[in-house]
Amino acid sequence: MQRIVVLAGGIGGARFLRGLKSAVPDAEITVIGNTGDDIHLFGLKVCPDLDTVMYTLGGGIHEEQGWGRKDESFAVKEELAAYGVGPEWFGLGDRDFATHIVRTQMIAAGYSLSDVTEALCARWQPGVRLLPMTDDRVETHVLIDDPDSKEGRRAVHFQEYWVRLRASVDAQAVVPVGADSAKPAPGVLDAISEADVILFPPSNPVVSVGTILAVPGMREAIAEAGVPVVGLSPIVGDAPVRGMADKVLAAVGVESTAAAVAQHYGSGLLDGWLVDTVDADSVRAVEEAGIRCRAVPLMMTGTEATAAMAREALALAGEVQA
Ligand code: GDP
Ligand code: CA
């Protein structure tokens, strides 16, 4: 049986995984999920990326939106607002609240985030093994300009930057607070060392895959696994397909092009890279950087189109030397 490890953020990772499962139904897929987006709200621990993967693969996702529950209502949020309790900019629905209550209750009782994720997945049956990148607290913060503060800048939580500010101000730096001392969650390093292939889905290279790679030991384990590592570009036609990845790429000094993202990961990590057909011109630059590259359609318009992307990624993995 083929063992596949995927480093996933939220929407891009989750949608890709749905295609991958459909392409190789018999494969054993382990997902290492980003937890740098996690936030504490109303006393609850919210893990947006883990939940997006779990809901998407488990059939509970709000399809058009790409995150949160389908058939959602917002009574709790309205009641909180009536008390003047925010933040009002983070959309937590009633059904979603239940997930965060269960998670927070279990953590308060002494369970690890890995244990909790497994328990939540017992309900959702995502068909993959979903592991948080770490059980330790890691929170991505973004350094932004703030003319009103003494230093001229301030740090905000990633969710405040992304959801409240819609990345409308430039990011000076992206800092995964706590990553330095975080340990990979149980099972993560073993899954990597036992994998036949490792995939980077079209997830955000900075605040999703980048955060996972910031956990000490992760990057080394992947590089030393001795198996093909293949990624798919989230940048198509010099812009993110969805969202504001260009803003956080700029913060780390990387251009928003499919080739620049591949070079950012580098040939020490990546063996193969898929770019969209509109970026066929960039194949040469990627190959010159020592990464095997091919241009194929990369728009996840439906499960079949996404499964075709997954098959291309696995085919490329079959061609490259780790
Ligand atoms: P997030 O945590 O919800 O932001 O999700 P991810 O980090 O997993 O993925 C976000 C990235 O997915 C964005 O940078 C998008 O450009 C990318 N993305 C979304 N849909 C598509 C698609 O259909 N094709 C490709 N190639 N990338 C996509
Ligand atoms: Ca995310």
Side-chain angles (χ1 to χ4, degrees):
M1 200 200 302
Q2 193 176 26
R3 284 163 302 187
I4 305 174
V5 166
V6 181
L7 270 52
I11 301 178
R15 290 190 172 162
F16 175 75
L17 283 161
R18 195 154 56 181
L20 179 66
K21 274 176 63 187
S22 155
V24 282
D26 296 331
E28 187 183 289
I29 301 170
T30 300
V31 178
I32 302 175
N34 173 41
T35 59
D37 290 19
D38 293 6
I39 185 166
H40 289 77
L41 293 169
F42 314 110
L44 301 176
K45 181 171 173 66
V46 181
C47 301
D49 286 358
L50 293 179
D51 289 350
T52 295
V53 170
M54 184 174 78
Y55 293 157
T56 300
L57 300 184
I61 199 78
H62 185 305
E63 280 297 335
E64 297 72 42
Q65 198 170 253
W67 52 270
R69 293 290 311 279
K70 66 179 170 195
D71 303 324
E72 190 56 291
S73 55
F74 291 89
V76 174
K77 192 178 181 198
E78 282 159 26
E79 291 295 316
L80 287 164
Y83 286 112
V85 174
E88 78 299 326
W89 48 265
F90 203 85
L92 285 185
D94 300 331
R95 293 181 189 279
D96 202 18
F97 258 112
T99 304
H100 313 314
I101 290 169
V102 173
R103 174 183 292 124
T104 307
Q105 184 167 274
M106 283 188 70
I107 285 175
Y111 289 96
S112 67
L113 183 60
S114 303
D115 295 334
V116 176
T117 305
E118 192 179 338
L120 295 171
C121 285
R123 171 185 174 194
W124 290 102
Q125 296 289 315
V128 299
R129 191 154 68 111
L130 177 60
L131 305 176
M133 64 188 200
T134 179
D135 281 339
D136 301 319
R137 182 165 170 168
V138 176
E139 244 175 50
T140 302
H141 288 199
V142 180
L143 211 53
I144 59 170
D145 288 333
D146 180 6
D148 296 336
S149 84
K150 202 164 62 190
E151 296 84 12
R153 60 199 175 123
R154 77 191 161 103
V156 294
H157 189 286
F158 170 72
Q159 297 296 352
E160 184 173 354
Y161 182 69
W162 206 249
V163 180
R164 184 171 84 82
L165 299 172
R166 303 291 310 156
S168 56
V169 290
D170 289 341
Q172 296 180 2
V174 177
V175 187
V177 178
D180 287 1
S181 55
K183 292 173 298 302
V188 165
L189 295 181
D190 287 344
I192 292 172
S193 71
E194 290 161 11
D196 299 311
V197 54
I198 299 169
L199 300 178
F200 294 2
S203 279
N204 190 306
V206 181
V207 293
S208 293
V209 180
T211 311
I212 300 170
L213 293 172
V215 176
M218 199 75 80
R219 183 181 284 274
E220 296 74 10
I222 292 170
E224 288 161 13
V227 296
V229 180
V230 171
L232 298 92
S233 179
I235 305 293
V236 171
D238 300 345
V241 174
R242 202 190 146 114
M244 300 78 70
D246 49 322
K247 286 308 203 57
V248 286
L249 280 166
V252 298
V254 177
E255 259 183 80
S256 281
T257 66
V261 172
Q263 286 157 355
H264 171 63
Y265 286 132
S267 61
L269 200 58
L270 272 188
D271 303 300
W273 185 244
L274 294 177
V275 301
D276 189 83
T277 43
V278 305
D279 298 313
D281 285 356
S282 62
V283 168
R284 226 177 101 193
V286 177
E287 296 220 313
E288 278 167 3
I291 300 162
R292 183 79 67 95
C293 184
R294 184 169 297 161
V296 299
L298 285 190
M299 298 303 283
M300 299 190 282
T301 48
T303 304
E304 194 32 55
T306 312
M309 288 165 53
R311 282 191 288 268
E312 291 285 359
L314 294 173
L316 190 58
E319 281 177 27
V320 297
Q321 294 293 312

